[in-house]
Amino acid sequence: MQPRSPRAQDKSGYLSAGTIAAISTATGGAISIVRVSGPECLRTLGVMCGGLDKVTAWTPRRLYRTNLRDASGIQLDDALVVKFVGTQSYTGEDSGEIHLHGGNFIASRVLATLMDLGVRQALAGEFTFRAVRNGKMALSQAQATAELIEATNEGAAALALEKLSGSQLKLIEGLSEDLRNLAALGEVGIDFADQDVEEVSLPALRARTLPVIETLVKLKNSYSRGARIQDGVRVAVVGIPNAGKSSFFNALLGEDRSIVSEIAGTTRDVVGERLAIQGPHSSMTLRIEDTAGLRDSTDRIEKIGIERSTKAAKDADVVVFVVDVTQGAQSALEAFRFLSISPEKTLGIFSKTDMVSREVISKLKSDLEGLAVKDWVMTSAKTGDGIHGAALTLARVCEKMVERNPGEVLLTRLDQLAAVNLALEHMERAQIATEPELFASDIRQTLYALDPLIGTTVPDDILGRIFSEFCIGK
Ligand SMILES: Nc1nc2c(ncn2[C@@H]2O[C@H](COP(=O)(O)OP(=O)(O)OP(=O)(O)O)[C@@H](O)[C@H]2O)c(=O)[nH]1
Ligand SMILES: [Mg+2]
């Protein structure tokens, strides 16, 4: 994989045919793989591998050890080369992979030779773009390959692998089939499904939309969990100034990420970090944010910081509410009410427990009972006491946010959510249609709305935009 190139922005580039190549591996590895795909692939490999006859005679999908040469016959590497023919390949067209000794120098020379022979540098994700265009995979599966590459935890990897295997596609194709049948019924106005051909009334048609709507609503609701699995569970660390938020945040991360000082109001902006964490059943990624302390401030900058803290708490899946045990309950109560966060998504953290007796903490806990926060963990960032326990509790709370039923299809992308929302809008319109023809038209609109999830008829320029976010060589 190479960094995204500026040419990746060139949408029309995806539409130009021809043979493409790219270095598909990261620099610095033991081997480098150059990928080639397109109508001139085998001829080009022939020039570099000792003759077209030789390459033609190769069995597809088998590696052949080859003296790889440039156009003037100079040896480039002792390489392993494999060809894939036509529809039997990833891209759905003739393609090949050249496995080289690692190091960017050799790979770059091989790529340069390919360019000399008329091959062009592939755009980001262009191999996968071609796979979709050639009907080798659906758009959702192509996106799953990118998600698999970017997965940072086992849940995200499992989700991407399921999507790659077509679980989401199967569900959407099933929905599409139901919708096509519904549209046909509306268009014809009669129901052939029953033995006696009978007219289909609008109420009967509407009743048939309910299972489709139910599935769409489930998909819509799955997005927040899907996004959490993929991008991480959002955790905001909040509390009054000097509560020990940054100290707790740093202790959790195991590094000095956020500035800590005895001056109240040290953290001004949101400081975000990713943290891989093991829950009771699975690993997760947390997107954890340290925030500015909440208080009535006249300082313009601090006020902006506090607004950001409030927003972070509101947007967070889980709020870590830090309470300094050396302070009374009053300021904590005020801050909690100011945030108006739900106690269900709150984990309470008592900080600085090294500074007071257990009795003081018990009293504080009972004073805070009205907040209805279920879990309170005693910690000291100074001694490290309770930090491990707090991490375990946080992992347990966050794991609930990413729970899924076996085989349940989850949406993970905003564009997919937008497609499902649009489909639902059309379904709602179908519910109030006054004529079977209008009903059928709304159902057809629903079908079109869901198309981005299948991707067979997504216009090339939209496909190009989606693939420009992939890495080069994929
Ligand atoms: N004794 C002791 N001191 C702590 C502990 N945690 C934090 N402190 C001290 O409390 C002060 C404030 O800590 P911070 O972590 O900066 O607090 P904060 O909530 O991030 O503060 P702001 O960013 O100003 O809102 C610092 O002097 C820390 O050293 C602790 O567990 N025990
Ligand atoms: Mg701070």
Side-chain angles (χ1 to χ4, degrees), residues 331-354:
S331 52
L333 286 167
E334 279 168 17
F336 194 87
R337 297 210 169 107
F338 172 78
L339 286 171
S340 65
I341 35 174
S342 99
E344 284 93 61
K345 71 169 194 179
T346 305
L347 166 64
I349 294 290
F350 286 132
S351 66
K352 311 188 190 181
T353 55
D354 55 285

Side-chain angles (χ1 to χ4, degrees), residues 229-242:
I229 292 173
Q230 191 120 79
D231 300 334
V233 182
R234 287 189 69 172
V235 177
V237 182
V238 299
I240 63 165
N242 239 356

Side-chain angles (χ1 to χ4, degrees), residues 187-236:
E187 277 150 9
V188 179
I190 46 177
D191 187 356
F192 294 103
D194 299 325
Q195 239 111 37
D196 304 320
V197 173
E198 58 180 83
E199 276 206 33
V200 177
S201 65
L202 267 173
L205 282 173
R206 282 183 203 128
R208 284 175 180 238
T209 62
L210 296 179
V212 177
I213 292 176
E214 197 182 317
T215 309
L216 285 172
V217 169
K218 268 192 198 151
L219 266 178
K220 175 186 167 154
N221 294 340
S222 75
Y223 172 74
S224 53
R225 267 175 307 136
R228 278 180 210 139
I229 292 173
Q230 191 120 79
D231 300 334
V233 182
R234 287 189 69 172
V235 177

Side-chain angles (χ1 to χ4, degrees), residues 76-145:
L76 297 166
D77 198 3
D78 179 7
L80 288 172
V81 185
V82 54
K83 73 167 182 183
F84 306 93
V85 179
T87 55
Q88 301 296 307
S89 72
Y90 177 79
T91 53
E93 57 187 15
D94 288 349
S95 54
E97 278 174 17
I98 307 171
H99 295 226
L100 304 158
H101 287 98
N104 212 28
F105 177 68
I106 302 172
S108 300
R109 274 181 86 193
V110 169
L111 195 62
T113 301
L114 286 161
M115 308 285 115
D116 287 345
L117 294 170
V119 173
R120 80 169 160 81
Q121 163 78 52
L123 302 173
E126 196 170 3
F127 294 92
T128 312
F129 172 85
R130 289 189 174 192
V132 172
R133 215 161 166 236
N134 293 330
K136 289 292 292 184
M137 64 168 76
L139 182 58
S140 63
Q141 290 169 301
Q143 288 170 326
T145 59

